Amino acid sequence: MAKIIVVTSGKGGVGKTTTSAAIATGLALRGFKTVVIDFDVGLRNLDLIMGCERRVVYDFVNVIKKEASLNQALIKDKRTPGLYILPASQTRDKDALSMEGVQTVLNDLSEDFEYIICDSPAGIEQGAQMALYFADEAIVVTNPEVSSVRDSDRIIGILQSKSLKAEQGGSVKEHLLLTRYSPERVAATEMLSVADVEDILAVPLLGVIPESEAVLKASNQGAPVILDQESEAGQAYLDAVSRLLGEEVEHRFLEVQKKGFLKRLLGGKK
Amino acid sequence: MSIFNYFLKKEKTRSASVAKERLQIIVAHERNKRLQPDYLPLMQQEIIDVIRKYVNIDSDQVSVQLDNTDDCSVLELNITLPE
């Protein structure tokens, strides 16, 4: 049985797809057979972030409508062994995903894979609810910014009432992932701190990803940022994957790092 | 940074703490609403309609609130009657 993890946020543009790509790659790097599914029907983007956009032939909706088999639609990642991508459809039909269809695909994948990562679309509409419905665990991606925190709270409410786990009287295990964090701005009291966001949302912290130039660079190149292990963001994602697997890893990149003389002179980059 | 900026910065309100305060209030408010049963708004409307049969009141003169304690829920009904 695979563990199903949804990456969700409510608000758009906070880093769900970046996180889905990084976490899925990280789990595969640790030797787990992992598939990452793009639930954003009509606005497919995970393929670009994973760098496999030119290899998409069939998609999630084709599989649900039985126009293609799972094996035909799954794209094997070229960089990381044991990692597969199931791309979203570009159809404009919003109702292309059906609850039964999604369940069948997840059940079939469960037999083969150890982790299924569901990359949720933004919002709280049908697509987002479908992505989180079957989840065992949820990674709530949040920026230290008012609208993102509020939307995260809404999506947490939906996880607690409208997921299969909740309907069965259990609960989805929630993780908070704070992204685009800037310790400098927190120190200047211009940005909500990790403690502030933890206080408001009351969800256990999975990790903090610092604002980093490496993220844009990674998406430009179509290589998940976790593979850039020189970068702070890449290292922070590696730590988050370890914590997801139950290991205790100390949080890094939360404090302002004093630049050394040489780094200041040369203009060190993150 | 000029010396003026230095003083200006000190006077600036700490926007992060403003953000936190606003969020705490709105999130608590929205969570409270979320915990309410779906029938509450409709029930409130019907209660108002019944009272209106006898007394002329505005809908904002009635407040209906459901408080959940450990083992029971209390429905609080507050009606301001005109003089």
Side-chain angles (χ1 to χ4, degrees), chain A residues 226-254:
Chain A
I226 198 167
L227 294 172
D228 181 357
Q229 292 173 6
E230 305 265 285
S231 72
E232 289 188 353
Q235 293 171 34
Y237 272 119
L238 280 174
D239 288 359
V241 169
S242 300
R243 289 188 204 104
L244 196 62
L245 295 171
E247 294 161 26
E248 277 192 34
V249 183
E250 213 176 312
H251 289 277
R252 294 191 275 173
F253 317 117
L254 302 185

Side-chain angles (χ1 to χ4, degrees), chain A residues 140-218:
Chain A
V140 180
V141 183
T142 308
N143 289 169
E145 178 269 331
V146 285
S147 49
S148 173
V149 176
R150 180 200 213 171
D151 291 357
S152 291
D153 192 65
R154 290 259 357 236
I155 212 79
I156 291 166
I158 292 172
L159 281 165
Q160 292 170 351
S161 61
K162 291 189 178 159
S163 60
L164 179 64
K165 277 259 148 66
E167 287 175 4
Q168 291 171 341
S171 63
V172 177
K173 189 175 178 193
E174 299 157 0
H175 306 274
L176 171 65
L177 188 78
L178 205 55
T179 56
R180 306 202 68 169
Y181 195 70
S182 165
E184 291 80 12
R185 303 199 72 183
V186 172
T189 66
E190 291 173 359
M191 182 182 269
L192 290 165
S193 69
V194 189
D196 291 341
V197 181
E198 279 187 281
D199 237 20
I200 295 162
L201 294 178
V203 171
L205 185 67
L206 179 70
V208 178
I209 313 298
E211 174 83 66
S212 166
E213 291 176 8
V215 174
L216 181 60
K217 195 173 125 199

Side-chain angles (χ1 to χ4, degrees), chain A residues 145-146 149-150 153-154 156-157 160 188-192 195-196 199-202, chain B residues 9 12-24 26-28 30-31 34:
Chain A
E145 178 269 331
V146 285
V149 176
R150 180 200 213 171
D153 192 65
R154 290 259 357 236
I156 291 166
Q160 292 170 351
T189 66
E190 291 173 359
M191 182 182 269
L192 290 165
D196 291 341
D199 237 20
I200 295 162
L201 294 178
Chain B
K9 198 168 182 185
K12 238 190 343 193
T13 46
R14 301 178 169 218
S15 62
S17 55
V18 177
K20 189 181 182 187
E21 266 181 52
R22 291 175 60 215
L23 269 171
Q24 278 173 325
I26 191 68
V27 164
E30 286 174 350
R31 273 183 200 161
R34 212 154 64 202

Side-chain angles (χ1 to χ4, degrees), chain A residues 19-227:
Chain A
T19 298
S20 300
I23 298 282
T25 305
L27 287 167
L29 286 174
R30 296 289 295 264
F32 295 100
K33 198 172 176 197
T34 304
V35 57
V36 54
I37 308 176
D38 191 347
F39 271 79
D40 204 346
V41 171
L43 291 169
R44 163 164 90 209
N45 272 321
L46 180 70
D47 55 339
L48 269 178
I49 302 300
M50 296 294 300
C52 63
E53 68 276 8
R54 297 183 56 182
R55 293 163 60 209
V56 176
V57 183
Y58 294 109
D59 58 53
F60 196 9
V61 172
N62 292 139
V63 177
I64 285 179
K65 292 191 171 162
K66 301 208 161 61
E67 295 159 358
S69 72
L70 251 180
N71 283 332
Q72 284 177 303
L74 284 174
I75 301 170
K76 191 176 187 310
D77 190 78
K78 281 199 169 156
R79 297 184 186 85
T80 318
L83 178 60
Y84 292 78
I85 300 119
L86 184 56
S89 159
Q90 285 289 49
T91 172
R92 276 200 252 166
D93 176 15
K94 271 206 314 183
D95 305 319
L97 294 183
S98 67
M99 209 52 116
E100 301 76 43
V102 171
Q103 185 166 28
T104 309
V105 173
L106 290 178
N107 279 342
D108 289 351
L109 288 170
S110 256
E111 287 172 17
D112 246 10
F113 288 89
E114 289 165 285
Y115 281 95
I116 301 175
I117 308 296
C118 303
D119 182 19
S120 170
I124 52 172
E125 303 291 312
Q126 199 213 20
Q129 297 205 13
M130 205 87 85
L132 67 78
Y133 187 74
F134 298 100
D136 299 306
E137 299 190 21
I139 298 174
V140 180
V141 183
T142 308
N143 289 169
E145 178 269 331
V146 285
S147 49
S148 173
V149 176
R150 180 200 213 171
D151 291 357
S152 291
D153 192 65
R154 290 259 357 236
I155 212 79
I156 291 166
I158 292 172
L159 281 165
Q160 292 170 351
S161 61
K162 291 189 178 159
S163 60
L164 179 64
K165 277 259 148 66
E167 287 175 4
Q168 291 171 341
S171 63
V172 177
K173 189 175 178 193
E174 299 157 0
H175 306 274
L176 171 65
L177 188 78
L178 205 55
T179 56
R180 306 202 68 169
Y181 195 70
S182 165
E184 291 80 12
R185 303 199 72 183
V186 172
T189 66
E190 291 173 359
M191 182 182 269
L192 290 165
S193 69
V194 189
D196 291 341
V197 181
E198 279 187 281
D199 237 20
I200 295 162
L201 294 178
V203 171
L205 185 67
L206 179 70
V208 178
I209 313 298
E211 174 83 66
S212 166
E213 291 176 8
V215 174
L216 181 60
K217 195 173 125 199
S219 76
N220 284 342
Q221 295 173 335
V225 70
I226 198 167
L227 294 172

